[in-house]
């Protein structure tokens, strides 16, 4: 059975697109046929992070408007087998999407893919609601700060009420908390909320943290999802998250400050 | 057994019930009804069978108000118009003719209907107290109008932007009420978890209503319309288990 997973947050700029790219790439690299859809119509950027922006011919809106066939719009990833991108339109406005059209596209994708990853736009308005409507599971991307947690809370309310599963009284969408841009030092100093603080406020299962890392930006600029670089912590964090999502039990590696050489020698903190 | 002659047929009592006011901005029945339908759909349990008063202060003197049609339209929305305010002379006569009573002066304590944010979702019926089959408990039907009324029980968090209303009964919540959420009951509100949002007990004016919560971190607490904002909460009660009631017209918070 194909699974539809929405990457959502409410607040903008918290790392949804970064997560969608790395999550989809990670799942596909473990042998699952995966497509990642950009729902951020008008603000195309998933294709940039995925490094396929120059191969975009048709997009989600073209498919919904029946101006192109689905297979014409799907872009095959060059690095990972079984990974496809369905880009958003840069030229249309966000009202170009409608529920029925999105439903048809997702139904068709379900026949071909194991995982359908939806990169939601920010906010809690129509675009975000369309992206989450058909989801089976949700990664709620949150930064460790109050405003982001509040927005995630609102999004969780919507996931619980304004989705296909909710409206048809099916089992609720399974929600997972993903804390991104986590900076252990700032958490220690009390400048950022800790994992425990956020879990206490949101009360949903915890999938993992992605440490704050400067490699994320350079990877995005290079069009390489950061998960493909397992030499840096953000990439490792995403690999852990993907494995956990697929049912593997992995320890949380990035909740504690890494001890430097001298700290280890002298046991200082 | 008929009542004895010494007993009265009834007792006449004045009350200060709180009633929703519909302040008319137009006399166009269609648009009144259409707008009202939307509002009612947002909070069906708050409005269902609720009495309302029409306030016609803002309607220009020279306009004819089709009271009978408006009353019928409001009734189609499942509300019960009972009175009129700020109607004089012929206008008042027409209102009385349409079955509305005159409310003089300040009138009763007027209840402002809680305002859900534009598209605030009300929790699914499943969350609203229907114990899922998984729980192995008998399903409750809190919306059933037949007495006795069961309290409404919520088992999942009430999240920012959500509004839940327990009409004519208590509201029992077994999960947190988060910042930006609003829980309303005509009776008491029991929260066996932190209260971080707004809680309004005694929404129809029951001054005996109370709020209980495991940890007080509220944005607002209200009993029968008298409320305290977040920064008015006593510092020594913050994040503590408390009970909240009305005493001498003041909201009093004390440790549980
Ligand atoms: N773990 C991280 N460490 C450092 N920077 C990060 C991390 N995750 C994301 N960023 C940076 O944050 C910015 C926003 O990320 P991204 O575009 O993924 O967010 P978004 O939630 O999709 O934004 P929008 O709401 O605009 O769609 C980017 O510049 C990205 O490089
Ligand atoms: Mg994005």
């Amino acid at each position: 059975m194909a699974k539809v997973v929405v990457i959502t947050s409410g607040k903008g700029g918290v790392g949804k697109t970064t997560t969608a790219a790395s999550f989809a790439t990670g799942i596909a690299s473990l042998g699952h046929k995966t497509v990642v859809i950009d729902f951020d119509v008008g603000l195309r950027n998933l294709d940039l992070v995925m490094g396929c922006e120059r191969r975009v011919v048709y997009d989600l809106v073209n498919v919904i408007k029946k101006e192109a066939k689905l297979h014409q719009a799907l872009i095959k990833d060059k690095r990972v087998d079984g990974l496809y991108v369905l880009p958003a339109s840069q030229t249309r406005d966000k009202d170009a999407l409608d529920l029925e059209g999105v439903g048809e596209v997702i139904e068709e994708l379900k026949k071909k893919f194991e995982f359908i990853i939806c990169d939601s736009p920010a906010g809690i308005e129509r675009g975000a609601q369309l992206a989450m409507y058909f989801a089976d599971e949700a990664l709620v991307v949150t930064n460790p700060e109050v405003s982001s947690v509040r927005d995630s809370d609102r999004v969780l309310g919507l996931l619980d009420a304004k989705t296909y599963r909710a409206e048809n009284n099916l089992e609720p969408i399974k929600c997972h908390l993903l804390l991104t841009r986590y900076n252990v030092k700032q958490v220690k100093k009390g400048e950022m909320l800790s994992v425990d603080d956020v879990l206490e406020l949101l009360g949903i299962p915890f999938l993992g943290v992605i440490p704050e890392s400067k490699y994320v930006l350079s990877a995005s600029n290079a069009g390489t999802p950061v998960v493909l670089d397992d030499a840096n912590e953000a990439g490792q964090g995403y690999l852990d998250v993907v494995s956990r999502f697929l049912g593997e039990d992995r320890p949380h590696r990035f909740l504690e400050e890494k001890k430097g050489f001298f700290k280890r020698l002298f046991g200082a903190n | 057994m008929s009542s004895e002659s010494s007993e009265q047929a009834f007792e006449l009592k004045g009350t200060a019930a709180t009633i929703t006011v519909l302040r008319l901005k137009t006399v166009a029945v269609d648009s009144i009804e259409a707008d009202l339908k939307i509002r009612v759909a947002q909070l069906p349990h708050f409005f269902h069978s609720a009495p309302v008063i029409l306030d016609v202060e803002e309607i220009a003197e020279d306009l004819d108000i089709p009271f009978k049609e408006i009353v019928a339209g409001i009734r189609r929305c499942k509300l019960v118009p009972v009175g009129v305010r700020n109607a004089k002379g012929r206008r008042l006569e027409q209102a009385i003719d349409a079955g509305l009573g005159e409310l003089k002066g300040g009138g009763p304590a007027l209840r402002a209907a809680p305002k859900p944010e534009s598209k605030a979702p009300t929790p699914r019926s499943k969350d609203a107290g229907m114990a899922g089959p998984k729980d192995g408990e008998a399903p409750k039907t809190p919306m059933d109008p037949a007495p006795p009324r069961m309290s409404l029980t919520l088992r999942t968090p009430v999240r920012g932007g959500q509004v839940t209303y327990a009409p004519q009964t208590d509201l029992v919540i077994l999960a947190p009420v988060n910042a930006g959420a609003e829980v309303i009951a005509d009776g008491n509100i029991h929260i066996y978890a932190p209260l971080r949002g707004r809680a309004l007990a005694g929404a129809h004016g029951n001054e005996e209503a109370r709020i209980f919560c495991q940890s007080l971190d509220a944005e607002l607490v209200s009993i029968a319309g008298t409320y305290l904002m977040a920064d008015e909460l006593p510092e020594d009660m913050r994040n503590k288990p408390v009970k909240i009631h009305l005493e001498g017209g003041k909201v009093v918070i004390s440790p549980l």
Side-chain angles (χ1 to χ4, degrees), chain A residues 80-139:
Chain A
V80 180
D81 249 5
L83 176 61
Y84 290 78
V85 179
L86 182 51
S89 169
Q90 218 165 13
T91 51
R92 308 293 185 100
D93 70 72
K94 48 193 188 315
D95 293 330
L97 297 183
D98 66 278
L99 195 59
E100 204 191 330
V102 170
E104 282 171 14
V105 170
I106 287 190
E107 265 325 296
E108 210 176 327
L109 288 170
K110 276 184 170 178
K111 294 180 200 145
K112 301 192 182 110
F113 292 94
E114 271 181 84
F115 288 95
I116 298 158
I117 314 297
C118 305
D119 179 20
S120 172
I124 52 171
E125 302 306 325
R126 192 157 169 277
Q129 293 193 17
L130 276 174
M132 70 171 63
Y133 191 79
F134 295 100
D136 301 305
E137 304 204 22
L139 297 201

Side-chain angles (χ1 to χ4, degrees), chain A residues 165-179:
Chain A
R165 281 180 171 270
E167 288 173 1
N168 292 279
N169 269 307
L170 301 173
E171 201 176 307
I173 293 177
K174 225 164 138 186
C175 298
H176 309 267
L177 175 67
L178 181 63
L179 265 183

Side-chain angles (χ1 to χ4, degrees), chain A residues 12-18 40 122 181 210-213 216-217 220:
Chain A
V14 296
K16 290 179 294 297
T17 300
T18 305
D40 209 345
R181 314 201 67 160
I210 307 300
E212 170 83 22
S213 155
V216 171
L217 186 58
S220 296

Side-chain angles (χ1 to χ4, degrees), chain B residues 31-81:
Chain B
S31 49
I32 295 172
E33 193 175 340
D35 283 0
L36 197 54
K37 255 200 196 113
I38 295 171
R39 288 298 298 271
V40 171
Q42 287 169 338
L43 277 180
H45 308 301
F46 188 85
F47 286 117
H48 193 87
S49 306
V52 286
I53 291 169
L54 297 184
D55 189 328
V56 296
E57 189 178 18
E58 288 180 34
I59 304 296
E61 299 271 320
D62 53 342
L63 271 181
D64 245 344
I65 305 181
F67 280 109
K68 286 197 176 135
E69 284 79 3
I70 293 176
V71 164
I74 294 173
R75 280 192 158 265
R76 279 194 291 275
C77 295
K78 302 284 184 285
L79 287 145
V80 185

